[in-house]
Amino acid sequence: KNEVEQSPQNLTAQEGEFITINCSYSVGISALHWLQQHPGGGIVSLFMLSSGKKKHGRLIATINIQEKHSSLHITASHPRDSAVYICAVVIQGAQKLVFGQGTRLTINP
Amino acid sequence: NAGVTQTPKFRILKIGQSMTLQCTQDMNHNYMYWYRQDPGMGLKLIYYSVGAGITDKGEVPNGYNVSRSTTEDFPLRLELAAPSQTSVYFCASTAWGVTGELFFGEGSRLTVL
């Protein structure tokens, strides 16, 4: 079993829908990253969080350390949100990232 | 501000050839990383560096070498290319390690035939 599991692996939705992408992990962590990989391949950082919740525009990330779970929410989704979303955890006590396999999101107009 | 620049973006190699993937960052970051991304898999760490002159192996270092002679540059060398090295390679940098914001290059797609 992978240390970091994302669900769903693929998600297709209509423009305007509320989107939730989940990340569960089985190891102790000190922080968690959410990344976005554009269709062209480039990767950009969305959030880094170690507790609670962060919001940036229409994106919201939450983490529950006790339950070893994080979610990325997108409100009022738009076709330009179509991308692969990647969760990566920072292993506790180590300068090491473990990446999930990514969730491919497609938003149809 | 260019951020992290990788070259080349695409390359096809024959088995046994060698090549270097270039990575440069202009943010004065100490930490730099090389990852490979295979279909359906999470990114895997090949090598990393915590500063000029210091490098260390990641999870999948076999078949690769790196150097870090300056803060800006972190080239990845593939010696004796093999089909198993067909992948997309990403260079990344951070100011203070993996608990800081990650900056990635655009990726280099390498095919070994």
Side-chain angles (χ1 to χ4, degrees):
Chain A
K1 189 175 184 292
N2 293 333
E3 292 172 305
V4 180
E5 294 279 354
Q6 289 185 233
S7 63
Q9 290 191 21
N10 294 283
L11 177 58
T12 300
Q14 292 299 120
E15 183 173 356
E17 287 188 35
F18 181 82
I19 303 299
T20 295
I21 298 169
N22 298 298
C23 176
S24 296
Y25 50 91
S26 57
V27 294
I29 72 167
S30 55
L32 181 145
H33 293 267
W34 280 104
L35 309 167
Q36 180 191 54
Q37 184 168 21
H38 299 301
I43 300 174
V44 296
S45 177
L46 296 176
F47 296 101
M48 200 272 295
L49 62 167
S50 53
S51 65
K53 176 177 165 177
K54 285 191 176 179
K55 184 175 189 291
H56 181 70
R58 294 180 295 105
L59 299 177
I60 303 165
T62 63
I63 189 168
N64 186 318
I65 294 290
Q66 286 73 31
E67 293 187 3
K68 291 185 162 48
H69 182 268
S70 175
S71 293
L72 177 68
H73 305 286
I74 305 175
T75 62
S77 60
H78 190 275
R80 65 175 174 266
D81 297 324
S82 297
V84 175
Y85 292 84
I86 300 169
C87 165
V89 301
V90 181
I91 301 296
Q92 200 166 40
Q95 277 286 326
K96 182 186 174 189
L97 282 172
V98 178
F99 291 80
Q101 77 276 34
T103 294
R104 183 174 299 277
L105 173 66
T106 303
I107 304 295
N108 293 319
Chain B
N1 204 353
V4 179
T5 303
Q6 281 181 242
T7 57
K9 286 189 168 41
F10 302 94
R11 183 74 186 266
I12 298 174
L13 282 180
K14 293 182 180 177
I15 293 172
Q17 286 185 320
S18 299
M19 75 160 296
T20 299
L21 297 176
Q22 301 290 346
C23 177
T24 298
Q25 53 90 9
D26 61 0
M27 297 170 283
N28 203 33
H29 286 169
N30 282 323
Y31 294 78
M32 296 187 74
Y33 309 86
W34 274 106
Y35 293 96
R36 59 177 288 171
Q37 184 180 40
D38 298 312
M41 307 285 288
L43 279 77
K44 299 290 186 188
L45 181 65
I46 305 170
Y47 270 95
Y48 68 100
S49 170
V50 300
I54 307 168
T55 63
D56 208 347
K57 295 177 180 178
E59 302 168 79
V60 290
N62 291 344
Y64 307 95
N65 275 300
V66 294
S67 60
R68 185 94 182 270
S69 56
T70 66
T71 299
E72 294 77 20
D73 299 310
F74 190 41
L76 177 72
R77 177 97 178 143
L78 281 72
E79 305 282 2
L80 299 174
S84 61
Q85 293 178 304
T86 294
S87 189
V88 181
Y89 292 85
F90 286 95
C91 179
S93 74
T94 71
W96 55 78
V98 293
T99 52
E101 185 177 359
L102 300 166
F103 294 84
F104 286 85
E106 290 291 306
S108 299
R109 184 176 294 274
L110 175 67
T111 302
V112 182
L113 300 174

